[in-house]
């Protein structure tokens, strides 16, 4: 963590609609940075604490924070947040030129370029970042963060994201979300192999204890995070579609139902 008092005096904005947002906000505040958090409808409530301030609306964050971390998966929700609607100006329309929006969602490079086009007219930069390890890891400062975008904006975002863990720059805008999607793609294949191995072992009369001992050196017995895998697998399919490539991997919702049936049998 930096000891630069000027950096600590610069507020950081966090916006989210799931458990990632509160975890990120609490971590940044715990590192000594004034942190403003705005949760969308249905998001977890964050209590005021030392250096942590709940913001009434995302626009309040725009007025004060030159860096805003946005943890929202749905692209239309993010677009509305950034550009606004007939009733309210969006975050990207209220931030000062030179500010940076850090997209912690799950978007294709094409979607990110479209969003950058909306923000760039006002001099607002957009970078994409992916948190590997989950909300708990980010909240404890031990996440792996992938970061993509133009170098100047990446350098600004890196200072804040490094509070959440180790940052690795992946390349141009969209590269971080793409790498995270590909990681999920590979892990999804592992999840399929896990289920097939357990089913085959069970059919051959092997007990769970034997399977656990024999396969202990592989990742096959690790319980997959189906929600996270589904998110990354869907993004991998969307990226492949944009590029005219195939990404026909397992439907993880079907896989989850099959696993639940097996556990209940």
């Amino acid at each position: 963590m930096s000891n630069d008092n000027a950096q600590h005096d610069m507020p950081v904005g966090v916006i989210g609609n799931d458990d990632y947002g509160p975890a990120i906000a609490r971590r940044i505040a715990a590192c000594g940075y004034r942190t403003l958090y705005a949760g969308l409808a249905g998001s977890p409530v964050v209590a005021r604490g030392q250096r942590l301030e709940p913001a009434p609306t995302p626009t309040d964050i725009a007025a004060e924070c030159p860096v805003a971390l946005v943890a929202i998966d749905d692209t239309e929700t993010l677009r509305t947040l950034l550009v606004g609607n007939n009733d309210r100006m969006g975050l990207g329309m209220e931030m000062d030129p030179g500010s940076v929006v850090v997209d912690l969602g799950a978007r294709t490079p094409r979607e990110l370029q479209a969003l950058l086009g909306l923000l760039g007219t006002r001099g607002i930069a957009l970078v994409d970042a992916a948190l590997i390890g989950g909300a708990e890891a980010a909240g404890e400062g031990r996440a792996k963060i992938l970061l993509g975008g133009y170098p100047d904006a990446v350098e600004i975002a890196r200072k804040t994201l490094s509070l959440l863990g180790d940052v690795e720059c992946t390349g141009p805008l969209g590269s971080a979300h793409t790498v995270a999607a590909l990681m999920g793609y590979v892990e999804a294949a592992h999840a399929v192999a896990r289920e097939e191995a357990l089913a085959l072992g069970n059919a051959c009369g092997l007990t769970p204890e034997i399977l656990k001992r024999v396969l202990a050196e592989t990742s096959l017995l690790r319980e997959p995070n189906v929600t996270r895998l589904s998110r990354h697998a869907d993004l991998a399919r969307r990226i492949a579609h944009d590029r005219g490539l195939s990404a026909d991997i397992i439907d993880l919702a079907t896989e989850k139902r099959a696993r639940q049936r097996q556990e209940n049998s």
Side-chain angles (χ1 to χ4, degrees), residues 171-218:
L173 183 66
S175 60
H177 289 182
T178 298
V179 171
L182 296 179
M183 292 171 67
Y185 186 98
V186 172
E187 192 171 351
H190 287 177
V192 176
R194 173 187 183 275
E195 295 304 318
E196 292 183 348
L198 292 176
L200 180 58
N202 182 64
C204 292
L206 297 174
T207 66
E209 291 75 17
I210 289 291
L211 285 172
K212 183 176 182 179
R213 184 164 66 250
V214 172
L215 300 178
E217 295 182 359
T218 75

Side-chain angles (χ1 to χ4, degrees), residues 159-242:
K159 295 177 182 178
T160 300
L161 292 173
S162 64
L163 302 173
L164 308 178
D166 295 327
V167 180
E168 179 175 351
C169 297
T170 54
L173 183 66
S175 60
H177 289 182
T178 298
V179 171
L182 296 179
M183 292 171 67
Y185 186 98
V186 172
E187 192 171 351
H190 287 177
V192 176
R194 173 187 183 275
E195 295 304 318
E196 292 183 348
L198 292 176
L200 180 58
N202 182 64
C204 292
L206 297 174
T207 66
E209 291 75 17
I210 289 291
L211 285 172
K212 183 176 182 179
R213 184 164 66 250
V214 172
L215 300 178
E217 295 182 359
T218 75
S219 62
L220 293 179
L221 290 183
R222 184 180 62 203
E223 186 70 15
N225 183 326
V226 174
T227 300
R228 181 170 58 83
L229 287 188
S230 180
R231 172 195 186 203
H232 287 163
D234 176 67
L235 180 56
R237 283 191 290 267
R238 287 157 51 201
I239 293 172
H241 181 268
D242 280 352

Side-chain angles (χ1 to χ4, degrees), residues 9-73:
D9 289 339
M10 183 180 69
V12 176
V14 180
I15 303 168
N17 60 356
D18 59 19
D19 58 345
Y20 274 88
I24 292 169
R26 292 189 189 103
R27 170 63 185 176
I28 294 174
C31 290
Y33 291 76
R34 180 172 171 239
T35 307
L36 278 65
Y37 173 77
L40 302 189
S43 63
V45 176
V46 173
R48 179 180 295 273
Q50 186 175 13
R51 307 293 283 175
L52 176 58
E53 304 172 23
T57 69
T59 304
D60 295 287
I61 284 178
E64 294 196 57
C65 302
V67 176
L69 280 58
V70 184
I72 297 172
D73 279 352

